[in-house]
Amino acid sequence: MGKQKIETTNTNKKVGKSVLLGAAFLMATSSIGPGFLTQTTVFTQQLAASFGFVILISLLLDIFAQVNVWRIIAVSGLRGQEIANKVIPGLGVLLAILIVMGGLAFNIGNVAGAGLGLNAMLGLDPIKGAIISAAFAIFIFVVKEAGKAMDKVAQFAGFVMIILMVYVAFITSPPVGEAVINTFAPAEISIFAIVTLVGGTVGGYITFAGGHRLLDAGVKGVESLPQVTKSSVTGIAVTGVMRIALFLAVLGVVSQGLAIDPANPPASVFQLAAGEIGFRMFGVIMWAAAITSVVGAAYTSVSFIRSFHPMIEKYHNWIIILFILVSTITFALVGRPVNILLLVGALNALILPLALGTMLVAAHKKNIVGDYKHPLWLTITGGLVVVIMGVLGIITLIEQIPLLFK
């Protein structure tokens, strides 16, 4: 037993920065998708400098949710669905169904976003662009070291997006002082914006993306917790930097009194900020955001069914490829099924409270975490996120369902 523990610790040291950064960026780039770009732009238009407060509160809630989930996955050495099944038999299956449905539906949007990105970047037809992008995503999982390839793509794409976004934020000359003041003393507060941001950053499959990636890389056990916590916070920090940079870029454009095109708000911001080059830069960011979300959604959704049958475990990379193919073919033939996306979006709001609530129960069960003592402050803050997101998730569901029958 002693020898086993030494080997695990060495693995963690050897895995080191590459895997920890890879997991952080996989989670971060999974959350930075086409929806992230549009939501951030639209909310900044609506709330102006006060959107800084929304970003601050949502980042805190994101950290509370994510640190809890990643720590419990690492301590137990089990994936989310396995933990849920140990809390209540069958709950893991329900969670897996919800996450796979959500992942598949959102991936149609991600594939569409990748097509639009290549259209803005190179002028390609969006459907052709979507098919080329899907082929690129599939190639990642054909490579022998698929996990490492995925880590590298996520990190590279993340860095490119941050550099371009910070550049655009810089050239629009936003009123930074006003933004800082309103971040701590906002002129108006939008609960809906906070819920949307938290759901988009750590909702659905996203918060499990990095936790499951670390598990696959052998990072688990109580001794790995400092690394796991650091990696989880890094992931949220990356999404925070992106969100703040885009917020400032939009604020700079809005404060100059320029009109943003409602048909494609984020593209309009980049075009107004830097002309034709800005529009091409938007294409690069949109494509990088979408392709990493395609990869993250497929990888994490399939990780939720891997433990259900030895054949799924054995051929999981091929099932990930199938997952990407189904999303792409649906988009190419049907386009984006709006009603399905509305329903899945509403159900997705319930996944975070259900999953996080289950994890918090698991954190106090000896048959799952052994002698590990979960910090009280994490239990309390995690519980707070469950209650807030649970109530608001139910309200969202009640509001969305009648829209399906119009």
Side-chain angles (χ1 to χ4, degrees), residues 146-175:
K148 283 182 181 174
M150 185 170 65
D151 289 348
K152 290 282 177 271
V153 168
Q155 286 175 58
F156 181 72
F159 281 123
V160 167
M161 285 192 282
I162 287 171
I163 290 163
L164 292 179
M165 201 75 89
V166 169
Y167 169 72
V168 173
F170 184 76
I171 60 169
T172 59
S173 307

mmCIF file of all heavy atoms in Angstrom, residues 146-175:
data_model
loop_
_atom_site.group_PDB
_atom_site.id
_atom_site.type_symbol
_atom_site.label_atom_id
_atom_site.label_comp_id
_atom_site.label_asym_id
_atom_site.label_seq_id
_atom_site.Cartn_x
_atom_site.Cartn_y
_atom_site.Cartn_z
ATOM 1 N N ALA A 146 -4.452 11.011 -27.468
ATOM 2 C CA ALA A 146 -5.564 11.958 -27.654
ATOM 3 C C ALA A 146 -5.662 12.956 -26.499
ATOM 4 O O ALA A 146 -5.916 14.141 -26.709
ATOM 5 C CB ALA A 146 -6.875 11.199 -27.806
ATOM 6 N N GLY A 147 -5.454 12.474 -25.268
ATOM 7 C CA GLY A 147 -5.546 13.341 -24.089
ATOM 8 C C GLY A 147 -4.557 14.485 -24.148
ATOM 9 O O GLY A 147 -4.898 15.653 -23.927
ATOM 10 N N LYS A 148 -3.307 14.160 -24.518
ATOM 11 C CA LYS A 148 -2.262 15.195 -24.602
ATOM 12 C C LYS A 148 -2.557 16.161 -25.748
ATOM 13 O O LYS A 148 -2.358 17.364 -25.623
ATOM 14 C CB LYS A 148 -0.882 14.539 -24.806
ATOM 15 C CG LYS A 148 -0.317 13.932 -23.527
ATOM 16 C CD LYS A 148 1.060 13.347 -23.759
ATOM 17 C CE LYS A 148 1.597 12.715 -22.468
ATOM 18 N NZ LYS A 148 2.865 12.007 -22.700
ATOM 19 N N ALA A 149 -3.031 15.618 -26.871
ATOM 20 C CA ALA A 149 -3.359 16.463 -28.026
ATOM 21 C C ALA A 149 -4.462 17.451 -27.644
ATOM 22 O O ALA A 149 -4.394 18.641 -27.976
ATOM 23 C CB ALA A 149 -3.817 15.599 -29.203
ATOM 24 N N MET A 150 -5.462 16.949 -26.915
ATOM 25 C CA MET A 150 -6.579 17.792 -26.480
ATOM 26 C C MET A 150 -6.090 18.906 -25.544
ATOM 27 O O MET A 150 -6.485 20.064 -25.674
ATOM 28 C CB MET A 150 -7.604 16.905 -25.758
ATOM 29 C CG MET A 150 -8.878 17.585 -25.354
ATOM 30 S SD MET A 150 -10.092 16.381 -24.793
ATOM 31 C CE MET A 150 -9.289 15.735 -23.321
ATOM 32 N N ASP A 151 -5.216 18.551 -24.613
ATOM 33 C CA ASP A 151 -4.632 19.545 -23.689
ATOM 34 C C ASP A 151 -3.932 20.662 -24.456
ATOM 35 O O ASP A 151 -4.109 21.847 -24.174
ATOM 36 C CB ASP A 151 -3.601 18.877 -22.748
ATOM 37 C CG ASP A 151 -4.248 17.969 -21.717
ATOM 38 O OD1 ASP A 151 -5.480 18.028 -21.567
ATOM 39 O OD2 ASP A 151 -3.524 17.197 -21.061
ATOM 40 N N LYS A 152 -3.102 20.256 -25.429
ATOM 41 C CA LYS A 152 -2.310 21.238 -26.180
ATOM 42 C C LYS A 152 -3.205 22.171 -27.000
ATOM 43 O O LYS A 152 -2.978 23.376 -27.058
ATOM 44 C CB LYS A 152 -1.307 20.523 -27.108
ATOM 45 C CG LYS A 152 -0.174 19.823 -26.355
ATOM 46 C CD LYS A 152 0.885 20.823 -25.884
ATOM 47 C CE LYS A 152 1.982 20.172 -25.075
ATOM 48 N NZ LYS A 152 1.706 20.097 -23.626
ATOM 49 N N VAL A 153 -4.218 21.587 -27.674
ATOM 50 C CA VAL A 153 -5.139 22.399 -28.486
ATOM 51 C C VAL A 153 -5.876 23.394 -27.592
ATOM 52 O O VAL A 153 -5.998 24.577 -27.923
ATOM 53 C CB VAL A 153 -6.145 21.496 -29.249
ATOM 54 C CG1 VAL A 153 -7.288 22.318 -29.849
ATOM 55 C CG2 VAL A 153 -5.428 20.726 -30.359
ATOM 56 N N ALA A 154 -6.350 22.925 -26.426
ATOM 57 C CA ALA A 154 -7.091 23.798 -25.498
ATOM 58 C C ALA A 154 -6.207 24.950 -25.021
ATOM 59 O O ALA A 154 -6.641 26.110 -24.984
ATOM 60 C CB ALA A 154 -7.615 22.997 -24.314
ATOM 61 N N GLN A 155 -4.940 24.631 -24.674
ATOM 62 C CA GLN A 155 -4.039 25.679 -24.180
ATOM 63 C C GLN A 155 -3.712 26.694 -25.284
ATOM 64 O O GLN A 155 -3.780 27.900 -25.060
ATOM 65 C CB GLN A 155 -2.741 25.052 -23.656
ATOM 66 C CG GLN A 155 -2.913 24.361 -22.318
ATOM 67 C CD GLN A 155 -1.641 23.632 -21.884
ATOM 68 O OE1 GLN A 155 -0.597 24.235 -21.749
ATOM 69 N NE2 GLN A 155 -1.728 22.337 -21.695
ATOM 70 N N PHE A 156 -3.372 26.192 -26.468
ATOM 71 C CA PHE A 156 -3.006 27.089 -27.570
ATOM 72 C C PHE A 156 -4.181 27.992 -27.946
ATOM 73 O O PHE A 156 -4.033 29.214 -28.070
ATOM 74 C CB PHE A 156 -2.543 26.273 -28.791
ATOM 75 C CG PHE A 156 -2.123 27.127 -29.947
ATOM 76 C CD1 PHE A 156 -0.936 27.856 -29.904
ATOM 77 C CD2 PHE A 156 -2.920 27.234 -31.083
ATOM 78 C CE1 PHE A 156 -0.551 28.668 -30.967
ATOM 79 C CE2 PHE A 156 -2.552 28.042 -32.150
ATOM 80 C CZ PHE A 156 -1.350 28.759 -32.089
ATOM 81 N N ALA A 157 -5.358 27.382 -28.093
ATOM 82 C CA ALA A 157 -6.553 28.152 -28.462
ATOM 83 C C ALA A 157 -6.870 29.188 -27.386
ATOM 84 O O ALA A 157 -7.222 30.336 -27.691
ATOM 85 C CB ALA A 157 -7.743 27.221 -28.665
ATOM 86 N N GLY A 158 -6.734 28.779 -26.120
ATOM 87 C CA GLY A 158 -7.004 29.689 -25.003
ATOM 88 C C GLY A 158 -6.091 30.899 -25.023
ATOM 89 O O GLY A 158 -6.556 32.044 -24.895
ATOM 90 N N PHE A 159 -4.795 30.664 -25.231
ATOM 91 C CA PHE A 159 -3.827 31.774 -25.265
ATOM 92 C C PHE A 159 -4.092 32.713 -26.443
ATOM 93 O O PHE A 159 -4.037 33.933 -26.307
ATOM 94 C CB PHE A 159 -2.385 31.245 -25.318
ATOM 95 C CG PHE A 159 -1.871 30.782 -23.984
ATOM 96 C CD1 PHE A 159 -1.410 29.480 -23.809
ATOM 97 C CD2 PHE A 159 -1.845 31.644 -22.897
ATOM 98 C CE1 PHE A 159 -0.939 29.042 -22.571
ATOM 99 C CE2 PHE A 159 -1.371 31.227 -21.652
ATOM 100 C CZ PHE A 159 -0.922 29.923 -21.486
ATOM 101 N N VAL A 160 -4.405 32.137 -27.612
ATOM 102 C CA VAL A 160 -4.693 32.960 -28.801
ATOM 103 C C VAL A 160 -5.911 33.853 -28.537
ATOM 104 O O VAL A 160 -5.900 35.060 -28.813
ATOM 105 C CB VAL A 160 -4.934 32.074 -30.051
ATOM 106 C CG1 VAL A 160 -5.530 32.889 -31.199
ATOM 107 C CG2 VAL A 160 -3.630 31.423 -30.500
ATOM 108 N N MET A 161 -6.978 33.260 -27.963
ATOM 109 C CA MET A 161 -8.195 34.030 -27.681
ATOM 110 C C MET A 161 -7.917 35.172 -26.702
ATOM 111 O O MET A 161 -8.382 36.297 -26.895
ATOM 112 C CB MET A 161 -9.288 33.116 -27.120
ATOM 113 C CG MET A 161 -9.934 32.225 -28.155
ATOM 114 S SD MET A 161 -11.425 31.418 -27.547
ATOM 115 C CE MET A 161 -10.764 30.101 -26.554
ATOM 116 N N ILE A 162 -7.155 34.880 -25.650
ATOM 117 C CA ILE A 162 -6.852 35.905 -24.640
ATOM 118 C C ILE A 162 -6.055 37.060 -25.256
ATOM 119 O O ILE A 162 -6.388 38.227 -25.067
ATOM 120 C CB ILE A 162 -6.092 35.291 -23.439
ATOM 121 C CG1 ILE A 162 -7.053 34.440 -22.596
ATOM 122 C CG2 ILE A 162 -5.470 36.380 -22.554
ATOM 123 C CD1 ILE A 162 -6.377 33.610 -21.514
ATOM 124 N N ILE A 163 -5.007 36.730 -26.036
ATOM 125 C CA ILE A 163 -4.161 37.776 -26.642
ATOM 126 C C ILE A 163 -4.981 38.685 -27.557
ATOM 127 O O ILE A 163 -4.927 39.911 -27.463
ATOM 128 C CB ILE A 163 -2.970 37.135 -27.413
ATOM 129 C CG1 ILE A 163 -1.980 36.509 -26.413
ATOM 130 C CG2 ILE A 163 -2.258 38.176 -28.273
ATOM 131 C CD1 ILE A 163 -1.021 35.516 -27.040
ATOM 132 N N LEU A 164 -5.798 38.072 -28.438
ATOM 133 C CA LEU A 164 -6.600 38.871 -29.377
ATOM 134 C C LEU A 164 -7.652 39.703 -28.643
ATOM 135 O O LEU A 164 -7.893 40.861 -28.972
ATOM 136 C CB LEU A 164 -7.283 37.958 -30.410
ATOM 137 C CG LEU A 164 -6.354 37.258 -31.416
ATOM 138 C CD1 LEU A 164 -7.164 36.377 -32.347
ATOM 139 C CD2 LEU A 164 -5.558 38.277 -32.236
ATOM 140 N N MET A 165 -8.284 39.083 -27.618
ATOM 141 C CA MET A 165 -9.340 39.776 -26.873
ATOM 142 C C MET A 165 -8.776 40.963 -26.096
ATOM 143 O O MET A 165 -9.369 42.043 -26.069
ATOM 144 C CB MET A 165 -10.007 38.788 -25.918
ATOM 145 C CG MET A 165 -11.370 39.212 -25.475
ATOM 146 S SD MET A 165 -12.582 38.991 -26.774
ATOM 147 C CE MET A 165 -13.102 37.339 -26.476
ATOM 148 N N VAL A 166 -7.626 40.769 -25.449
ATOM 149 C CA VAL A 166 -6.993 41.849 -24.680
ATOM 150 C C VAL A 166 -6.584 42.983 -25.625
ATOM 151 O O VAL A 166 -6.755 44.162 -25.308
ATOM 152 C CB VAL A 166 -5.784 41.322 -23.866
ATOM 153 C CG1 VAL A 166 -4.955 42.468 -23.293
ATOM 154 C CG2 VAL A 166 -6.267 40.411 -22.734
ATOM 155 N N TYR A 167 -6.092 42.631 -26.821
ATOM 156 C CA TYR A 167 -5.697 43.644 -27.816
ATOM 157 C C TYR A 167 -6.903 44.513 -28.199
ATOM 158 O O TYR A 167 -6.824 45.749 -28.214
ATOM 159 C CB TYR A 167 -5.107 42.963 -29.053
ATOM 160 C CG TYR A 167 -4.916 43.896 -30.222
ATOM 161 C CD1 TYR A 167 -3.911 44.867 -30.212
ATOM 162 C CD2 TYR A 167 -5.772 43.842 -31.327
ATOM 163 C CE1 TYR A 167 -3.751 45.751 -31.281
ATOM 164 C CE2 TYR A 167 -5.624 44.721 -32.398
ATOM 165 C CZ TYR A 167 -4.611 45.673 -32.365
ATOM 166 O OH TYR A 167 -4.460 46.545 -33.415
ATOM 167 N N VAL A 168 -8.031 43.863 -28.489
ATOM 168 C CA VAL A 168 -9.231 44.614 -28.893
ATOM 169 C C VAL A 168 -9.737 45.476 -27.736
ATOM 170 O O VAL A 168 -10.150 46.610 -27.928
ATOM 171 C CB VAL A 168 -10.336 43.657 -29.413
ATOM 172 C CG1 VAL A 168 -11.632 44.394 -29.670
ATOM 173 C CG2 VAL A 168 -9.867 42.985 -30.698
ATOM 174 N N ALA A 169 -9.678 44.923 -26.517
ATOM 175 C CA ALA A 169 -10.094 45.700 -25.333
ATOM 176 C C ALA A 169 -9.223 46.952 -25.195
ATOM 177 O O ALA A 169 -9.708 48.032 -24.851
ATOM 178 C CB ALA A 169 -9.995 44.843 -24.072
ATOM 179 N N PHE A 170 -7.944 46.803 -25.503
ATOM 180 C CA PHE A 170 -6.995 47.917 -25.373
ATOM 181 C C PHE A 170 -7.285 49.026 -26.391
ATOM 182 O O PHE A 170 -7.311 50.208 -26.062
ATOM 183 C CB PHE A 170 -5.564 47.390 -25.533
ATOM 184 C CG PHE A 170 -4.499 48.431 -25.330
ATOM 185 C CD1 PHE A 170 -4.159 48.868 -24.058
ATOM 186 C CD2 PHE A 170 -3.835 48.981 -26.429
ATOM 187 C CE1 PHE A 170 -3.176 49.843 -23.880
ATOM 188 C CE2 PHE A 170 -2.848 49.956 -26.265
ATOM 189 C CZ PHE A 170 -2.520 50.384 -24.970
ATOM 190 N N ILE A 171 -7.550 48.626 -27.651
ATOM 191 C CA ILE A 171 -7.693 49.654 -28.702
ATOM 192 C C ILE A 171 -9.046 50.372 -28.654
ATOM 193 O O ILE A 171 -9.198 51.424 -29.279
ATOM 194 C CB ILE A 171 -7.430 49.094 -30.132
ATOM 195 C CG1 ILE A 171 -8.414 47.975 -30.482
ATOM 196 C CG2 ILE A 171 -6.005 48.672 -30.302
ATOM 197 C CD1 ILE A 171 -8.369 47.584 -31.948
ATOM 198 N N THR A 172 -10.044 49.809 -27.941
ATOM 199 C CA THR A 172 -11.336 50.514 -27.884
ATOM 200 C C THR A 172 -11.345 51.604 -26.808
ATOM 201 O O THR A 172 -12.335 52.324 -26.664
ATOM 202 C CB THR A 172 -12.514 49.540 -27.606
ATOM 203 O OG1 THR A 172 -12.287 48.882 -26.362
ATOM 204 C CG2 THR A 172 -12.696 48.535 -28.708
ATOM 205 N N SER A 173 -10.244 51.700 -26.037
ATOM 206 C CA SER A 173 -10.122 52.708 -24.960
ATOM 207 C C SER A 173 -11.355 52.766 -24.049
ATOM 208 O O SER A 173 -12.053 53.778 -23.985
ATOM 209 C CB SER A 173 -9.893 54.106 -25.551
ATOM 210 O OG SER A 173 -8.811 54.090 -26.441
ATOM 211 N N PRO A 174 -11.669 51.668 -23.368
ATOM 212 C CA PRO A 174 -12.862 51.661 -22.506
ATOM 213 C C PRO A 174 -12.675 52.541 -21.264
ATOM 214 O O PRO A 174 -11.542 52.785 -20.845
ATOM 215 C CB PRO A 174 -12.990 50.188 -22.104
ATOM 216 C CG PRO A 174 -11.609 49.648 -22.199
ATOM 217 C CD PRO A 174 -10.933 50.401 -23.301
ATOM 218 N N PRO A 175 -13.790 53.014 -20.656
ATOM 219 C CA PRO A 175 -13.696 53.786 -19.410
ATOM 220 C C PRO A 175 -13.418 52.857 -18.223
ATOM 221 O O PRO A 175 -14.337 52.445 -17.511
ATOM 222 C CB PRO A 175 -15.083 54.445 -19.301
ATOM 223 C CG PRO A 175 -15.988 53.552 -20.068
ATOM 224 C CD PRO A 175 -15.177 52.884 -21.127
#
